[in-house]
Amino acid sequence: MGILEVKDVGKRFGGLKALSDVNLSVAENTCHAIIGPNGAGKSTLLNCLVGKLIPDTGSVMFDGQSVLGRSPHEINQMGISRVFQTPEIFSDLSVMENMMIPLFARRDGAYRLHAYHSVLSEAELVTKAEQMLADVNMLDKRNMHTASMSRGDKRRLEMAMCLIQEPKLLLLDEPTAGMARADTNNTIDLLKQIKDSRNITIAIIEHDMHVVFSLADRITVLAQGTPLVEDVPEKIKGHPKVKEAYLGETAHA
Ligand SMILES: Nc1ncnc2c1ncn2[C@@H]1O[C@H](COP(=O)(O)OP(=O)(O)OP(=O)(O)O)[C@@H](O)[C@H]1O
Ligand SMILES: [Mg+2]
């Protein structure tokens, strides 16, 4: 039984079948990549995992509990954090101010740390944020306004904002899209480090096969809303179903 279990999930947008018969099992402390052409349903699937969309059919279990019917905030509190396809950082705030955002949830008039529901002092929160920034090599940019940062740095900041919540499952939607190769390689190194040093399961959507094959323990190929094949990277490389997914037709040997 994986930490994430997706069973028979289907989702329609009007007449369009965005997802159908999606089954996915992600084992704890592994990296599972979901690949597939544009419009395959990858982001829709992620949205169904984090409460942004409600599937029409099927079930989504995380850590033994259903996520269906819960709000994105509740699902976040269960231990799922997500880096979106479009960066969700505040460009008029500094790196450090952005880091503070996920740490706070206002409850009973007090600021509490999401992950622990415990009240930390401001000094403790700042120390925690600084440690996290150091982990992603961004401490020297703590006072920088994010508008002037490279796309790679914005992505690193987003990841730091997710990781500071100490999630059990990190969902990444094209974390290296539009990045220069050097930034992509830095992101790969960072994710490898995260995988090795923390108890975090990663599910990643990615078009860059260098990233996928550098990180993934298992790969699911999604096409037209349905998984075509799921296997270890060595078996996915050169698999005819991958060609089929990207060409939209059966590959002939
Ligand atoms: N809110 C929506 N309303 C209507 N149709 C949608 C909506 N969201 C997605 N779709 C459609 O569902 C299909 C799957 O979209 P989705 O964004 O999940 O694909 P994707 O695999 O993430 O693609 P990409 O690689 O381009 O990010 C597409 O045909 C898309 O146009
Ligand atoms: Mg997408």
Side-chain angles (χ1 to χ4, degrees):
M1 183 91 169
I3 189 164
L4 180 71
E5 291 283 339
V6 175
K7 289 236 159 57
D8 303 325
V9 160
K11 178 72 191 170
R12 279 178 170 278
F13 295 114
L16 178 88
K17 232 189 208 179
L19 296 175
S20 56
D21 303 321
V22 178
N23 288 284
L24 186 73
S25 176
V26 178
E28 198 164 1
N29 295 339
T30 63
C31 177
H32 196 114
I34 299 160
I35 64 170
N38 296 124
K42 305 180 297 296
S43 295
T44 302
L45 176 58
L46 240 60
N47 282 329
C48 289
L49 307 182
V50 297
K52 289 251 169 186
L53 286 174
I54 300 165
D56 303 325
T57 58
S59 64
V60 179
M61 301 290 288
F62 171 68
D63 217 7
Q65 286 183 295
S66 175
V67 306
L68 302 186
R70 294 178 196 257
S71 69
H73 178 70
E74 285 168 335
I75 293 170
N76 180 245
Q77 300 263 319
M78 287 168 78
I80 302 182
S81 286
R82 170 189 183 171
V83 174
F84 287 87
Q85 195 164 1
T86 314
E88 294 219 328
I89 52 180
F90 293 90
S91 56
D92 53 337
L93 298 181
S94 71
V95 166
M96 197 60 180
E97 285 164 341
N98 269 283
M99 285 298 286
M100 287 294 150
I101 293 167
L103 285 176
F104 294 124
R106 223 181 230 288
R107 281 197 203 164
D108 310 327
Y111 285 116
R112 288 164 196 267
L113 191 62
H114 272 323
Y116 307 105
H117 309 276
S118 60
V119 182
L120 295 189
S121 71
E122 197 180 328
E124 286 170 319
L125 289 172
V126 168
T127 303
K128 202 171 165 63
E130 282 177 348
Q131 276 165 358
M132 193 65 246
L133 285 176
D135 286 354
V136 299
N137 275 334
M138 285 195 75
L139 192 53
D140 56 334
K141 297 185 172 140
R142 69 195 296 285
N143 296 320
M144 208 174 185
H145 274 241
T146 57
S148 54
M149 288 191 331
S150 71
R151 199 182 162 92
D153 277 349
K154 283 182 188 166
R155 283 300 197 193
R156 290 170 91 76
L157 172 58
E158 281 188 293
M159 266 183 238
M161 288 167 70
C162 280
L163 291 171
I164 202 165
Q165 300 170 47
E166 308 205 350
K168 293 180 199 155
L169 175 64
L170 178 64
L171 302 175
L172 302 161
D173 199 346
E174 300 194 32
T176 68
M179 267 188 198
R181 180 51 73 188
D183 280 337
T184 299
N185 287 336
N186 285 339
T187 305
I188 292 172
D189 290 345
L190 171 63
L191 289 171
K192 275 187 180 158
Q193 209 180 301
I194 289 167
K195 225 180 99 176
D196 294 342
S197 62
R198 297 163 203 263
N199 283 347
I200 292 190
T201 308
I202 299 175
I204 182 170
I205 289 173
E206 184 56 69
H207 283 296
D208 185 333
M209 292 304 145
H210 171 57
V211 178
V212 171
F213 288 110
S214 302
L215 292 169
D217 298 300
R218 289 191 78 79
I219 299 173
T220 294
V221 183
L222 201 67
Q224 295 173 323
T226 308
L228 284 187
V229 60
E230 193 221 297
D231 217 324
V232 292
E234 308 82 72
K235 295 265 179 68
I236 293 291
K237 239 177 217 169
H239 196 294
K241 289 280 185 191
V242 178
K243 221 165 161 187
E244 181 184 324
Y246 282 89
L247 297 179
E249 58 189 33
T250 308
H252 297 285

